[in-house]
Amino acid sequence: MEPISISAFASISPLGKTSKEVWNSYLDNDHRISKRDFKNFTEWTASISEEDRKEIENIRNSDNKYKSLDDTVLFAIYASRKAVKDANWTTGDDFGINIGSSRGATALFEKFHEEFLETGTSSTLSSPTTTLGNISSWIAHDLKSSGPEISHSITCSTALHSLLNGVAWIQAGMCDKFIVGGSEAPLTDFTIAQMKALKVYSKETEGNPCKAFDLEKTKNTMVLGEGAAVVCLENEISDKTIAKIESVGYATEVLKHNTSVTADAECFQKSMKMACKHINLDEIDAIVMHAPGTIKGDSSEVNAIHKVFCNKIPFLTTNKWKIGHTFGASGLLNLELGLLMLQHQKVIEVPFAMKQTPPKQIKKVLVNAVGFGGNAVTVLLSL
């Protein structure tokens, strides 16, 4: 494939709402996870700050039509507005939109379903505000774009599958520009209860609740977070280019269980090899891992990396120990970390992970994501 230009990126997450805030958050060793009360339990979660919540409420109150929208849509609108502005795209431009979500409008869905169980009737807006296409269509409305709009759910690799779509459309000559990403607001009673039922949720009582990339842990320590992240893709490399998507890889492995992944994550092995097939593996300086904080999820990905890279392992990192697992948005938040490391020429260490030697220079970074169903995606970023 021809390299694709990344001309802007933006996010809102527990790390902040600007690139400067996000990078400064990465530079400290503090996580952004705290206890939150739900109806039937109290659990660890990573939320956006109260200050950033005001920005989201400002969007909600700016238009009467936005008052009924789920946070997944509002998070995505916030990030998309900023990215498009930074890319110098203008209102009415012809660009594609593909913003996905794993859970979608789960808070609204739970609210409307509870209302239906109590009353036997449903609100007028219960259907249009809870469809998966709700995110991209509202962003197109907000940005007044005229290109294609796509939404999907491919569990936790959703955002990077959005990027694959954008790359494919641009490579096919069907679009010159695409905004891609993911948005997730999963901090609800039912979603947390689902993760607890899977026996993957953190029960840590002290220290960091999420031990992502701690290969010595004896318990699962996944924690959920919320947020959205997007990037602006263009077909031409220019002075606006922040970094390039040099290649992509993807794979699916045969399942033995609905949530399973093989011990050596065959899907990751295939996706990483595909993304690196035109370069020497020694050129990879760092890998931003999926590493969800579960015993098998972390170890299988590390095993896959060792299978692919053998004795010369790139620097490994993850952000879930700091912001939890943001489901469908997580892949793009991983990509954001990769972009920031390229920009600042500094790797981010996981404080309790095995000690590694930082690369002297960062020129190429791999970014991983995988979801239930063994849907792995790997993106090769370069300067």
Side-chain angles (χ1 to χ4, degrees):
M1 60 173 273
E2 292 296 316
I4 300 292
S5 170
I6 295 177
S7 56
F9 64 97
S11 69
I12 184 164
S13 76
L15 298 169
K17 62 182 182 298
T18 68
S19 291
K20 184 177 180 181
E21 289 175 2
V22 170
W23 183 244
N24 286 337
S25 293
Y26 274 125
L27 294 178
D28 66 46
N29 282 331
D30 300 327
H31 62 78
R32 302 301 190 267
I33 300 170
S34 59
K35 284 283 190 178
R36 178 166 170 169
D37 293 327
F38 294 87
K39 287 182 182 176
N40 300 306
F41 46 78
T42 300
E43 286 297 345
W44 295 110
T45 62
S47 308
I48 64 172
S49 70
E50 287 304 312
E51 179 186 342
D52 292 351
R53 178 70 59 184
K54 291 175 185 175
E55 295 282 348
I56 298 303
E57 291 307 309
N58 286 341
I59 294 176
R60 189 189 304 279
N61 295 323
S62 67
D63 188 319
N64 198 48
K65 294 187 292 295
Y66 292 178
K67 291 185 184 298
S68 59
L69 298 181
D70 189 76
D71 280 354
T72 48
V73 181
L74 299 176
F75 289 169
I77 287 176
Y78 178 86
S80 298
R81 282 181 180 179
K82 189 172 188 312
V84 164
K85 181 180 178 183
D86 291 348
N88 292 319
W89 296 359
T90 57
T91 299
D93 270 6
D94 184 10
F95 57 84
I97 299 170
N98 191 168
I99 313 292
S101 179
S102 176
R103 313 302 301 182
T106 185
L108 277 186
F109 191 91
E110 288 177 36
K111 172 190 165 188
F112 288 135
H113 188 249
E114 184 177 16
E115 176 186 276
F116 173 73
L117 291 177
E118 289 176 355
T119 67
T121 61
S122 183
S123 298
T124 305
L125 294 177
S126 62
S127 175
T129 57
T130 58
T131 58
L132 278 177
N134 199 37
I135 299 178
S136 291
S137 58
W138 276 111
I139 291 170
H141 165 84
D142 189 71
L143 300 178
K144 298 179 175 59
S145 64
S146 56
E149 307 157 20
I150 307 166
S151 291
H152 62 232
S153 170
I154 308 177
T155 61
C156 304
S157 55
T158 294
L160 290 194
H161 273 285
S162 297
L163 184 142
L164 292 183
N165 268 348
V167 167
W169 277 72
I170 291 173
Q171 288 285 128
M174 296 172 68
C175 220
D176 291 332
K177 299 185 289 189
F178 236 96
I179 184 167
V180 300
S183 183
E184 208 72 61
L187 307 184
T188 67
D189 296 76
F190 185 50
T191 309
I192 300 287
Q194 286 177 312
M195 296 304 105
K196 291 175 67 176
L198 288 171
K199 305 290 191 281
V200 295
Y201 217 78
S202 178
K203 294 182 179 179
E204 295 293 305
T205 56
E206 57 185 34
N208 192 319
C210 182
K211 298 290 177 61
F213 196 31
D214 178 356
L215 301 180
E216 303 298 319
K217 62 178 173 290
T218 56
K219 295 181 290 186
N220 289 323
T221 63
M222 195 180 87
V223 170
L224 289 190
E226 64 182 359
V230 301
V231 293
C232 291
L233 307 180
E234 300 190 25
N235 66 337
E236 291 185 4
I237 307 300
S238 68
D239 56 2
K240 291 195 302 181
T241 301
I242 296 167
K244 295 174 289 189
I245 297 173
E246 193 170 324
S247 185
V248 296
Y250 46 88
T252 303
E253 63 182 50
V254 178
L255 296 179
K256 293 180 180 177
H257 181 271
N258 291 20
T259 63
S260 68
V261 64
T262 51
D264 295 330
E266 292 169 13
C267 55
F268 267 140
Q269 291 184 53
K270 292 175 183 176
S271 67
M272 288 188 288
K273 286 176 181 177
M274 182 178 176
C276 297
K277 66 183 177 182
H278 296 301
I279 65 166
N280 190 316
L281 290 175
D282 291 349
E283 295 179 51
I284 302 298
D285 301 301
I287 301 176
V288 181
M289 299 186 300
H290 181 74
T294 62
I295 295 171
K296 191 170 183 180
D298 292 5
S299 64
S300 63
E301 185 174 4
V302 171
N303 290 344
I305 290 167
H306 280 268
K307 287 272 188 180
V308 172
F309 290 89
C310 299
N311 295 324
K312 190 163 185 193
I313 307 300
F315 187 92
L316 306 180
T317 189
T318 181
N319 55 20
K320 292 185 180 65
W321 66 274
K322 194 178 268 281
I323 60 170
H325 193 349
T326 53
F327 281 162
S330 63
L332 240 293
L333 287 167
N334 289 354
L335 192 93
E336 177 184 57
L337 174 54
L339 289 170
L340 288 169
M341 292 196 306
L342 283 168
Q343 279 188 320
H344 295 275
Q345 286 297 296
K346 179 179 174 62
V347 291
I348 297 300
E349 298 185 38
V350 179
F352 43 75
M354 58 184 181
K355 196 67 180 172
Q356 305 170 82
T357 303
K360 293 177 181 176
Q361 228 179 351
I362 309 172
K363 291 184 178 179
K364 294 185 190 292
V365 175
L366 281 186
V367 179
N368 279 342
V370 70
F372 289 160
N375 294 297
V377 180
T378 300
V379 178
L380 173 56
L381 297 176
S382 65
L383 287 174

